[in-house]
Amino acid sequence: MRLRTAFAVCLTLAALCLPLAAQPSGGGADEFGTTDGNDLWIPASQFVAEGSAVGHWLTGLPATDYYIGINSHVYALAPVALPQGALVDGWDVMYYDNSATNDIQVELVKTYGDTTNAPTIAFSYFGNFVSSGTPGYATHHQASGHTIDLREPAPATSVTRDQAVDSYRFYLSMQNDNNLAFRGVRLTWHRQVSPAPASPTFNDVPVSDPAFQYVEALVASGITAGCGSGNFCPNASLTRRQMAVFLAKALGLHWPSR
Amino acid sequence: MRVRKAWIVSCFAVFFAISATLAAQTSDGSDNFGTTDGIDLWIPASSFTGPAGWIEGPAFGYFYSTAEASYHAVVPLPQGALLDSWRAFFYDGSGTNNFTVGLVKWLDDTTANPTPGNQGFGVFTSSGTPGYNNHHQVENLTIDLREPSSGGVTRAEAADFYSFYVVMPTDFQVAFKGVRVVWHRQVSPAPATATFNDVPTTDPGFQYIEALVASGITAGCGNGGYCPDATLTRRQMAIFLSKALGLHWPNR
């Protein structure tokens, strides 16, 4: 019987148990499983205009929910609230470009921030898109494949991960042209199981075990401590009692809200 | 990349001159699983709302206020979460003014006779040490969104929530970047009485099996029992998992 092993695999796949730091999740971040297809819709209304564009970032032109920068170059940012370890499959940029000379630029930005004693602000950019020529309403699909990692890069000096506040945002730049408008970004993502560690936790689940990665993910998430004596008993049958413990711990069940 | 560079220059050049329009940030923080300590919830200053004059500056992501005021942000943690601690990031370059941040629970009766109240938790006020800094506050607080049983308000009528607040002086030398909350899930406490005749309160799986019942994931194996020692088949596991996680509605 390999039911317990199979259960660990299934549970891990379904409810990704990432031991890493994570950021708040937004709409669309509440779906489970590793299948492609979770959508995160970030409308133009969530983009905060910066600088001289403040007060010139208006909706309704040229169509409902489209925003333009009235007589102003718009620079705007919107938070991307995905859990640690999420795989960004790609995103669709929905916009209106009726300008022969000016463009819309959209890209994903990771901001690094040490806010302790001497802030060092840095950026990484992913999937830069600049609209071109084709007039009218359009949607651009940007393939990605980026894994969300909110941790400060390892070489960061004198900053512990607890003190870092890395985050992802979408960055929008629209040149000063009333023939440009922006509707939003629809991001598609899915969950991943965290990579396997280098060394095993249990004597009976070595790195060569087909469920090694999944069993370790449960350990890292506090869902199992094994069956005693440093083992997990991967081939033991699971009782309904044991399964209840696994499930309740994994999902933090169930606190009354009334 | 010319556009990006222009943006950065523009941003820093005008930080002190203009006000920012705030967009609500949706977040619920409930997307991580397991009971391990250490899930993070980042609540940036841009999520804090209040009177006009809440302006980004003097550095990227830091906000200051043009008027003495307080700003709030909801703490979107699920019921029963254990809030381990939080860390506030701020800038205090002022010799006279300070920065205050705290966690509060709002007790709101939203029925005909509202009796708003609040309950305070950790509070921090900056002092002396100038420059960029952060403060770590231990809480060990279990999130409970229910109205306290006293006061003549039923829980269904209550709309309690937790929020962080900051109190800002009129001083652009005092700025706030956000709060990082560390939390983890807990299994709910066991009820007083048992649901199943074969899972008494003394059963080692009692608390967990009751949690599945309360979540609608199991109704037992029939005849008022749960059959805790029965082996689980792969079929049964599939049913448990699909129910527990609400798997999987196509969205394409």
Side-chain angles (χ1 to χ4, degrees):
Chain A
M1 297 291 281
R2 298 191 173 168
L3 292 178
R4 188 163 181 180
T5 304
F7 184 77
V9 173
C10 291
L11 182 59
T12 310
L13 281 171
L16 289 194
C17 313
L18 297 167
L20 309 174
Q23 106 164 20
S25 68
D30 55 351
E31 294 178 63
F32 305 112
T34 60
T35 304
D36 179 314
N38 293 328
D39 284 345
L40 179 64
W41 170 236
I42 307 173
S45 58
Q46 287 186 9
F47 281 70
V48 179
E50 305 281 0
S52 57
V54 171
H56 298 265
W57 180 227
L58 302 171
T59 186
L61 295 171
T64 303
D65 295 333
Y66 280 79
Y67 278 61
I68 73 170
I70 295 286
N71 301 319
S72 173
H73 190 140
V74 170
Y75 304 100
L77 291 163
V80 178
L82 291 177
Q84 176 77 347
L87 181 66
V88 178
D89 300 300
W91 59 84
D92 293 307
V93 180
M94 300 181 192
Y95 65 98
Y96 173 81
D97 181 352
N98 211 27
S99 168
T101 53
N102 292 316
D103 300 318
I104 288 178
Q105 180 190 11
V106 174
E107 58 188 334
L108 183 62
V109 181
K110 179 177 178 179
T111 305
Y112 304 90
D114 163 15
T115 63
T116 320
N117 297 310
T120 54
I121 294 166
F123 308 90
S124 293
Y125 297 90
F126 307 97
N128 184 32
F129 164 67
V130 178
S131 66
S132 62
T134 317
Y137 295 96
T139 298
H140 165 76
H141 181 71
Q142 181 74 44
S144 180
H146 180 71
T147 295
I148 296 292
D149 189 352
L150 301 163
R151 300 173 300 178
E152 190 77 2
T157 55
S158 75
V159 183
T160 69
R161 285 179 164 166
D162 187 35
Q163 295 169 335
V165 285
D166 292 357
S167 62
Y168 287 84
R169 312 188 208 190
F170 269 109
Y171 161 70
L172 166 71
S173 171
M174 295 199 327
Q175 290 173 317
N176 185 354
D177 189 324
N178 293 348
N179 285 308
L180 298 174
F182 175 67
R183 185 176 189 186
V185 176
R186 181 179 222 179
L187 184 148
T188 305
W189 66 282
H190 66 270
R191 295 179 184 275
Q192 303 180 96
V193 179
S194 55
S199 56
T201 300
F202 300 116
N203 306 320
D204 56 0
V205 186
V207 294
S208 59
D209 192 288
F212 174 64
Q213 176 186 8
Y214 307 98
V215 173
E216 292 294 345
L218 295 191
V219 174
S221 301
I223 296 168
T224 187
C227 59
S229 303
N231 294 321
F232 180 70
C233 304
N235 297 318
S237 293
L238 193 73
T239 66
R240 289 165 61 89
R241 178 188 290 110
Q242 291 167 325
M243 185 219 61
V245 176
F246 275 112
L247 263 190
K249 280 189 175 178
L251 299 174
L253 304 174
H254 181 277
W255 290 78
S257 55
R258 297 276 176 207
Chain B
M1 296 301 105
R2 57 186 163 73
V3 175
R4 176 189 305 148
K5 284 171 182 166
W7 167 70
I8 292 173
V9 171
S10 166
C11 267
F12 286 99
V14 298
F15 263 145
F16 291 95
I18 41 79
S19 64
T21 305
L22 298 177
Q25 180 178 15
T26 56
S27 62
D28 61 22
S30 62
D31 57 304
N32 282 72
F33 306 109
T35 59
T36 304
D37 181 311
I39 297 172
D40 283 351
L41 174 66
W42 171 237
I43 306 175
S46 60
S47 292
F48 283 67
T49 56
W54 187 227
I55 296 172
E56 190 166 12
F60 192 84
Y62 283 79
F63 281 61
Y64 71 97
S65 179
T66 57
E68 184 173 343
S70 63
Y71 298 85
H72 293 258
V74 171
V75 181
L77 290 180
Q79 177 78 347
L82 183 67
L83 200 167
D84 300 295
S85 64
W86 48 272
R87 186 181 292 273
F89 297 85
F90 63 96
Y91 173 81
D92 183 352
S94 168
T96 52
N97 291 313
N98 294 322
F99 159 80
T100 295
V101 57
L103 176 64
V104 66
K105 177 181 179 179
W106 297 94
L107 310 170
D108 283 348
D109 167 12
T110 58
T111 27
N113 184 24
T115 54
N118 63 71
Q119 181 180 2
F121 300 99
V123 181
F124 167 74
T125 297
S126 66
S127 62
T129 317
Y132 293 95
N133 216 326
N134 63 72
H135 168 75
H136 186 248
Q137 181 81 36
V138 176
E139 288 284 2
N140 287 322
L141 169 69
T142 294
I143 297 295
D144 189 352
L145 303 167
R146 299 173 301 178
E147 185 76 7
S149 52
S150 62
V153 182
T154 70
R155 285 178 165 167
E157 296 167 338
D160 291 357
F161 65 97
Y162 294 80
S163 71
F164 276 103
Y165 64 94
V166 291
V167 181
M168 309 297 297
T170 308
D171 190 337
F172 68 85
Q173 288 294 318
V174 177
F176 171 60
K177 184 170 190 182
V179 178
R180 183 176 221 177
V181 177
V182 179
W183 66 283
H184 67 271
R185 294 179 187 278
Q186 304 178 97
V187 179
S188 57
T193 57
T195 300
F196 300 115
N197 50 38
D198 57 0
V199 186
T201 56
T202 54
D203 190 287
F206 175 65
Q207 177 186 9
Y208 308 97
I209 291 165
E210 293 293 346
L212 295 196
V213 173
S215 303
I217 296 169
T218 187
C221 59
N223 297 321
Y226 177 74
C227 306
D229 295 314
T231 300
L232 192 73
T233 65
R234 291 169 62 86
R235 176 186 294 109
Q236 290 167 328
M237 184 211 65
I239 296 170
F240 275 113
L241 267 187
S242 292
K243 277 189 174 180
L245 298 171
L247 304 175
H248 184 274
W249 291 78
N251 58 359
R252 293 277 177 208

